[in-house]
Each structure stands twice: as C-alpha cells, then as structure tokens.
C-alpha cells in the first residue's frame, strides 16, 4: 500500500505499550525488536508480494532475499523462517515447487532454517516469508537514530521498480534485466556484517517506498534533515534507458511521490533522476548512516565483503522547511 493511506489507518489503532518491545511500528522501522532476557532480543518481520519476474525459482529467490533484508537492516542474524503462499488452484504445482525451492536456496545461503508456513488458494500468486532472528540488545541498528554530520551509504543501485514493470509489460527482455535481477537476488548479509565492529548510527533497507521514502522515514524518525546527491546515486543501466518511457513506470512510483513529495526539496536535479528517487524497490540495498569518522572503515569493509557501496549524501541538523533535499 502507499505510505499515506496506510499511515491513515495505523493512526487509528490504539497504541499498545510493552516494556519488552524495543522497536514497534511507531518509527516505521524494518522489523520488530522484542527483548527476551539478559542482553538478547528477537527480531521479527514478514514480507510477501506477487511475482516480479517470470521464472518461478528466481521469484522465490528474490522474495526470500527481500524478506531476510529487514533482519539484516536491524543488524540482526536471521535464524528461522515461515513461508507465506497464495496460489491459484488452476496453476501447476510444479510452479509452486520451483518458487519454494528458490526461496529455500536463499535461506540456505543465509544459514536460515525453514520451519513451516501457511498457504491459501488465491487468484494471483503471492509468495514471501516471515523471518525471525536475534540481535544483541545494544547492537540493534534503528532507522531513527541518524545524527547530523553522518554520511549516507547505499549498498545496491536503484531502479528495480522500473525494470520489473518493463519486464511485466514486455518492454524489456530478461537478459537486459539481468543486472537488476542479480541484485534483487543478492542477500544484504555481507552489507549487514560489514556494519559489525564499525560505529553506525542508523540503517534501513530500500524497498517499496523507494530511496526517498525510506530516507524520509529515517529523517523523520531521527529528527534530522537528509541531503541526497542525485548524481552519486547508482542506477541500473536498463532503468536509466527506460525512465523516459511512461509504460515502464510502476504505479507505486506515483504513490510514493504523492506520499513523500511534499517534504522533498529538489535543487538542480533532472526530472528522471528525481523519478528514480520515488521508484519502489524490491530487495533493495541498505541505506547506512555512519559518522564521518567511521566512514572510511565501513567502506573498506563493504568492499572486502563484496557488497556494493556508494556515498550518496549526508545528514544535517533539522531546520524548518522540507526535511529531505535532492541536489
Ligand atoms: Co525494510
Ligand atoms: Co518489510
Ligand atoms: Co533498522
């Protein structure tokens, strides 16, 4: 759903208080964090969606990587997962088998055990997982604790919304989309591990609300301003070619612009680069907010772990006016 309509409904739910709940939905963070005992906490999340690619196995891989990502964004270690399946009774079971095998291959890569799941008959295929992990109490990385002076690092290029929409509408071949597909399949595990032992103030993963939406949630939760340098944001080549084509524009892009655009100041940025900021991502990278002093070390670790790494902006003190600047 779009961020604005969802917020409208969530506002109407009574706020529950629990001494054990360390992170709930108040700050739009990636996963819930619940203290169990001593210095340990449970991290829990769930994510599911319709196919973004034709190949069932690849779709399963992407859905699993995407679901695991919220645990990684919190600095947690995923432990076990439950499948969520919506599947039409008119479709061959071989398709479902390949989706689940794709998901399982990513769970194995992540060292996560599949513990069960739930399935229903539905007209449209949907697949995802609920993932549970653990994190040390004092090592939780929130999205709401960025500090003025921080540097912003992004670990994957953006543009998967445009690429998958073009794929679905037959404007783009699977071969031409391969760079983006490879990225969506890639776990954020290496990027997450790179944050251990380095001072990092905040982190979130870039998914449905796009780079701007998730950066905005970071800015609002942290009470800071965020500046993104559009020219430094990596974009998939196929998305770059297609951004001018209205038929390749996902519906979520306009929903994101409607939800977040009013708080964005754009200065000297081309129309297409602005559009990329609102493009909804599937299994996007981590957006890490780190103090300047630990930036060089973090970059070194990201590179050594084989994760992507682009320095795309900075965090400033909150001033009046629009909270995010695209320059
Ligand atoms: Co997330
Ligand atoms: Co999520
Ligand atoms: Co987080």
């Amino acid at each position: 759903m779009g961020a604005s309509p969802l917020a409208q409904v969530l506002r109407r739910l009574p706020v529950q208080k629990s001494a054990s709940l360390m992170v709930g939905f108040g700050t739009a963070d990636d996963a819930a964090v619940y203290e169990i005992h001593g210095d340990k906490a449970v991290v829990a999340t769930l994510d599911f969606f319709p196919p973004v690619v034709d190949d069932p196995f690849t779709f399963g891989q992407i859905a699993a990587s995407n679901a695991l990502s919220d645990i990684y964004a919190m600095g947690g270690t995923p432990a076990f997962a439950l499948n969520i399946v919506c599947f039409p009774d008119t479709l061959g079971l071989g398709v479902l088998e390949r989706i689940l095998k794709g998901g399982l291959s990513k769970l194995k890569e992540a060292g996560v055990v599949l513990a069960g799941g739930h399935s229903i008959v539905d007209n449209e295929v949907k697949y995802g997982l609920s993932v549970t992990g653990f994190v040390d109490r004092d090592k939780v990385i929130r999205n709401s604790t960025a500090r003025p002076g921080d540097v912003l690092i992004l670990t994957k290029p953006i543009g998967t919304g445009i690429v998958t929409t073009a794929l679905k509408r037959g404007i783009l071949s699977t071969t031409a989309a391969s760079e983006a597909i490879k990225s969506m399949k890639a776990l954020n595990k290496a990027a997450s591990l790179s944050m251990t032992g380095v001072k990092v103030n905040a982190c979130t993963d870039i998914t449905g609300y796009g780079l701007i939406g998730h950066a905005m949630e970071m800015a609002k939760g942290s009470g800071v301003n965020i500046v993104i340098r559009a020219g430094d944001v990596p974009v998939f080549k196929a998305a770059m070619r297609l951004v001018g084509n209205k038929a390749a524009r996902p519906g979520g892009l306009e929903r994101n612009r409607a939800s977040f655009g009013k708080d964005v100041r754009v200065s000297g940025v081309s129309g297409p680069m602005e559009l990329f900021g609102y493009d909804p991502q599937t299994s996007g990278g981590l957006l890490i907010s780190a103090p300047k002093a630990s930036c060089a070390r973090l970059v070194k670790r990201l590179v050594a772990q084989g994760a992507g790494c682009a320095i795309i902006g900075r965090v400033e003190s909150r001033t009046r006016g629009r909270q995010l600047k695209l320059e």
Side-chain angles (χ1 to χ4, degrees):
M1 276 180 75
S4 297
L6 181 62
Q8 223 169 34
V9 173
L10 293 181
R11 263 200 300 273
R12 290 174 191 277
L13 297 188
V15 179
Q16 286 178 290
K17 286 254 154 66
S18 160
S20 301
L21 188 63
M22 293 172 61
V23 181
F25 61 75
T27 48
D29 213 326
D30 299 298
V33 183
Y34 191 92
E35 191 188 324
I36 31 176
H37 59 76
D39 54 3
K40 279 282 170 204
V42 174
V43 196
T45 181
L46 77 86
D47 260 288
F48 67 109
F49 45 72
V52 287
V53 292
D54 274 341
D55 179 58
F57 188 86
T58 308
F59 167 52
Q61 289 182 303
I62 292 171
S65 275
N66 181 79
L68 290 160
S69 178
D70 280 329
I71 306 284
Y72 291 132
M74 304 301 288
T77 306
F80 65 93
L82 307 167
N83 277 331
I84 304 159
V85 172
C86 304
F87 200 75
D89 47 14
T90 51
L91 209 57
L93 288 176
V95 175
L96 180 57
E97 184 183 326
R98 293 213 294 284
I99 293 173
L100 299 187
K101 279 185 172 161
L104 193 57
S105 76
K106 281 291 156 181
L107 293 181
K108 279 190 184 152
E109 187 185 330
V112 171
V113 61
L114 179 68
H118 180 69
S119 64
I120 59 164
V121 173
D122 194 4
N123 289 335
E124 186 185 32
V125 173
K126 295 174 203 81
Y127 171 62
L129 304 106
S130 163
V131 187
T132 304
F134 299 97
V135 64
D136 286 348
R137 229 195 97 89
D138 56 355
K139 295 206 172 103
V140 177
I141 308 174
R142 292 170 168 82
N143 72 341
S144 57
T145 42
R147 303 281 303 273
D150 280 2
V151 172
L152 292 174
I153 293 171
L154 180 66
T155 67
K156 286 184 186 180
I158 59 172
T160 64
I162 288 170
V163 168
T164 55
T165 303
L167 269 174
K168 213 177 295 173
R169 299 191 179 151
I171 308 167
L172 188 72
S173 70
T174 305
T175 316
S178 61
E179 187 195 9
I181 291 173
K182 191 175 163 213
S183 171
M184 287 189 284
K185 288 197 292 190
L187 295 175
N188 279 328
K189 182 179 184 177
S192 183
L193 286 175
S194 304
M195 297 193 288
T196 51
V198 182
K199 170 118 176 88
V200 162
N201 282 333
C203 177
T204 190
D205 62 335
I206 306 303
T207 51
Y209 296 158
L211 176 61
I212 287 178
H214 291 283
M216 185 73 79
E217 285 177 337
M218 187 179 271
K220 295 217 153 136
S222 310
V224 296
N225 282 8
I226 278 182
V227 181
I228 294 174
R229 291 185 307 271
D232 292 337
V233 176
V235 176
F236 294 112
K237 283 185 216 80
M240 203 69 108
R241 279 200 311 274
L242 285 160
V243 68
N245 187 340
K246 278 223 169 81
R249 223 165 273 173
L253 194 153
E254 284 310 325
R255 282 195 290 278
N256 286 339
R257 192 177 9 209
S259 295
F260 302 106
K262 59 185 184 311
D263 294 316
V264 179
R265 187 152 69 90
V266 182
S267 158
V269 173
S270 69
M273 279 318 291
E274 188 187 347
L275 284 179
F276 285 127
Y278 294 112
D279 185 48
Q281 302 303 291
T282 299
S283 193
L286 299 185
L287 177 68
I288 306 170
S289 186
K292 220 175 246 160
S294 56
C295 185
R297 223 172 127 227
L298 178 59
V299 167
K300 213 166 153 188
R301 286 183 62 104
L302 283 164
V303 172
Q305 293 270 357
C309 162
I311 299 173
I312 62 156
R314 61 186 182 274
V315 178
E316 296 181 342
S317 302
R318 179 79 184 110
T319 52
R320 284 172 57 193
R322 301 184 178 208
Q323 205 152 2
L324 193 143
K325 185 180 172 199
L326 201 59
E327 65 175 29

